[in-house]
Each structure stands twice: as C-alpha cells, then as structure tokens.
Amino acid sequence: MPQPHCVWDIRAELGEGPVWSVREQALYFVDIVGQAIHRFHPESGGHASWATPQRPGFVVPASDGTLICGLKDGLYGFDPASGRFTCLVAVERDLPGNRINDGCVDSTGRLWFGTMDDGEATPSGALYSVTRGRGGRLDVLRHDEGYVVTNGPAISPDGTKLYHNNSPAGIIYVFDLAPDGSLSGRRIFARVAEGYPDGVVVDSAGTVWVGAWNGGRVMRFTPDGVELPPVAVPAVNVTKVAFGGPDLRTLYVTTARRNTPPDALARYPQAGGLFSLRVEVPGQASRAFPADGMDGLCDEVKQG
C-alpha cells in the first residue's frame, strides 16, 4: 500500500472527524482542542477554517448544504457561508464534564454519535442516535452507556452492523443494527494491544479502518475481525480516516499533535497534519443528514 503524504500541514492539536462532502467535493474535519472546523478542497488546493464556540467533536453534511456539528453541549447547525451556529438540540447538560465526540450518518439518514468524559476518567459517556421527528424536531435516543471515551460509530455496507469503540479499554465493539435503528447483541469485535482505537470507518467491502491513538498507524480488520496489515502514518496519534475524491478511493487521515513528546515531534514534524493516499477499494458514499426545516429551539435531549 502507498505511503501517506501530507496534503495540509495544519499541525492540529487534535485533528479528528474527517468526512467527505459529495456535494462540495471537499473534506471537512475538526480540531477539537483548537476549537475549529477545517475544509480542504483537493482539486483547487483551497483551505478554509472557522472557529467554533465550544469544542467540536464532529461535523457531517446536511441535505440543505449546511453542516451538523456536535459541540460540547449539543447538536448545532453550522452554515459555512455565514459562519453561524444554531443550536438544534441540547445533549447531557446535566453532565457538564461530558462532551460530544465522534459521529456519522448511516444510509437511512440517521445520525449516530457518542459522548465522553472530557477529563477521560469517568465512564459517563453514551451512544446516541438522532432521527427527524414531527415538525422537523430531532429525536435523540440513548442506546448504550458506560464509556469513558467513545469513538466511532461506523456502519457496515449492508446496514446491519454498527461498530463503536471503548477507546481507553482498547475494545472495538460490534452491535446488530435493525432497520428501525435499534441495537442489540453488543460483543467484542477486536481488542487493540498497541495504542488505543480511535475513529472508525467502514469501506464498501466491509473492511473496518480504525485510527490508532499512540499507535502511529491506521488499523484494518476484515468483517469477521481478522486484523490486516496496517497503514503506517508519520504521526504518533492517528485519529480517523475518510474516503473521498470522485471515486471514493482517496483515503484521508487526520492526526494530532496533542500528547506527542518533543522527541517524537522532531521525528514527525508534520504531526497534526492531514494526510492522504490512494487505495484500491472505495469507501462508502457519505449520506447527508435530512436537515430541511429543522428548528433551532435547542430542546433538551430525550433519554430513550
């Protein structure tokens, strides 16, 4: 497999959550600690960045051309044209030490995300899904809990499996995902012995790609959990991948400078950069969240 090369030496403190916008043919990602959303347009080489009012965990495209952003205390609409954030629904405001972390949209348009203890010590995080309710409101349901740091989630190509990480424990879980969005049968998909499993993405063949925090690589697993040769990345903390480009065969990799010792930074001066390489098997096309007509009442989350 080709070696990744740096396409944006942005040196993010905690680069995370890359997602490909089919509509814009551009890659979005966040810097959680740096409190920013970034966009990279590979055809033009153009860059853009926006400051966020709180720590962002993820961004995903919305059907109206805007983005849905998970900030510390809830889900927000974000309009890149104006830079405006609109609160859509509050999440876990009874847990001020928590924040939203990683997220994705499945093939039905359902949004999945996790929360975590920002101090990375208490198992107060949970796994949620979001669907459109009556009148454009968002219905947020809790599916699983007891996580210190959540990462993922990611969905299999046939929509029947959901992968989700308990990162400090080094465990990648897999759930059975029903058509109605319910989860069952949580079990261990894989254990990680070196480094910690970070963001999760599944390609069109069902291969599971996992960033290795403190592991310097992207891990790969077959659908039945057999580990494949990894992709080495010139950074200690490798966070997540996304498949982009017109053919979805360009792999983008986000990394972080946070918690990287000085001697490692000397070896990997582009740590925190955005890397890319070409791969043989394409990813899955990202789905936009159906956002038309959403209000901004920022209702409290329903704990279902």
Side-chain angles (χ1 to χ4, degrees), residues 14 29 32 172 181:
L14 185 47
F29 62 102
I32 297 174
I172 304 170

Side-chain angles (χ1 to χ4, degrees), residues 13-252:
E13 282 298 305
L14 185 47
E16 260 286 11
V19 62
W20 182 254
S21 169
V22 175
R23 181 173 184 155
E24 298 183 51
Q25 290 293 291
L27 185 88
Y28 283 91
F29 62 102
V30 301
D31 183 345
I32 297 174
V33 174
Q35 293 193 196
I37 295 171
H38 302 296
R39 181 179 63 197
F40 172 64
H41 190 263
E43 184 175 354
S44 67
H47 306 149
S49 300
W50 299 265
T52 61
Q54 303 170 17
R55 288 190 172 190
F58 71 85
V59 290
V60 292
S63 58
D64 60 0
T66 64
L67 302 172
I68 306 296
C69 182
L71 296 182
K72 176 178 168 56
D73 67 351
L75 302 179
Y76 288 71
F78 172 64
D79 183 1
S82 65
R84 181 187 177 199
F85 289 86
T86 303
C87 188
L88 301 173
V89 61
V91 176
E92 295 185 345
R93 289 195 171 169
D94 59 328
L95 296 172
N98 273 16
R99 68 170 174 84
I100 289 176
N101 201 33
D102 207 358
C104 76
V105 178
D106 69 21
S107 61
T108 70
R110 185 180 291 108
L111 172 62
W112 296 88
F113 70 91
T115 59
M116 59 172 278
D117 172 29
D118 212 4
E120 301 183 15
T122 304
S124 54
L127 171 63
Y128 294 90
S129 71
V130 187
T131 55
R132 294 291 301 280
R134 297 177 61 181
R137 302 166 77 88
L138 300 184
D139 291 334
V140 185
L141 297 178
R142 179 186 287 170
H143 293 267
D144 198 27
E145 57 189 19
Y147 294 86
V148 176
V149 178
T150 64
N151 267 298
I155 314 296
S156 64
D158 62 5
T160 65
K161 298 289 186 293
L162 180 142
Y163 301 90
H164 195 231
N165 288 348
N166 183 339
S167 293
I171 295 174
I172 304 170
Y173 289 116
V174 60
F175 297 77
D176 295 316
L177 172 59
D180 65 358
S182 60
L183 297 179
S184 62
R186 188 184 87 170
R187 55 205 179 272
I188 294 175
F189 173 72
R191 291 185 182 271
V192 175
E194 182 183 349
Y196 302 91
D198 205 312
V200 187
V201 172
V202 185
D203 68 21
S204 60
T207 301
V208 180
W209 300 66
V210 186
W213 183 269
N214 198 30
R217 69 197 190 282
V218 178
M219 299 174 287
R220 300 185 300 141
F221 299 87
T222 66
D224 55 358
V226 176
E227 188 164 6
L228 299 170
V231 178
V233 179
V236 172
N237 296 317
V238 181
T239 54
K240 192 174 182 179
V241 307
F243 292 85
D247 60 0
L248 298 178
R249 289 182 53 232
T250 299
L251 187 78
Y252 291 98

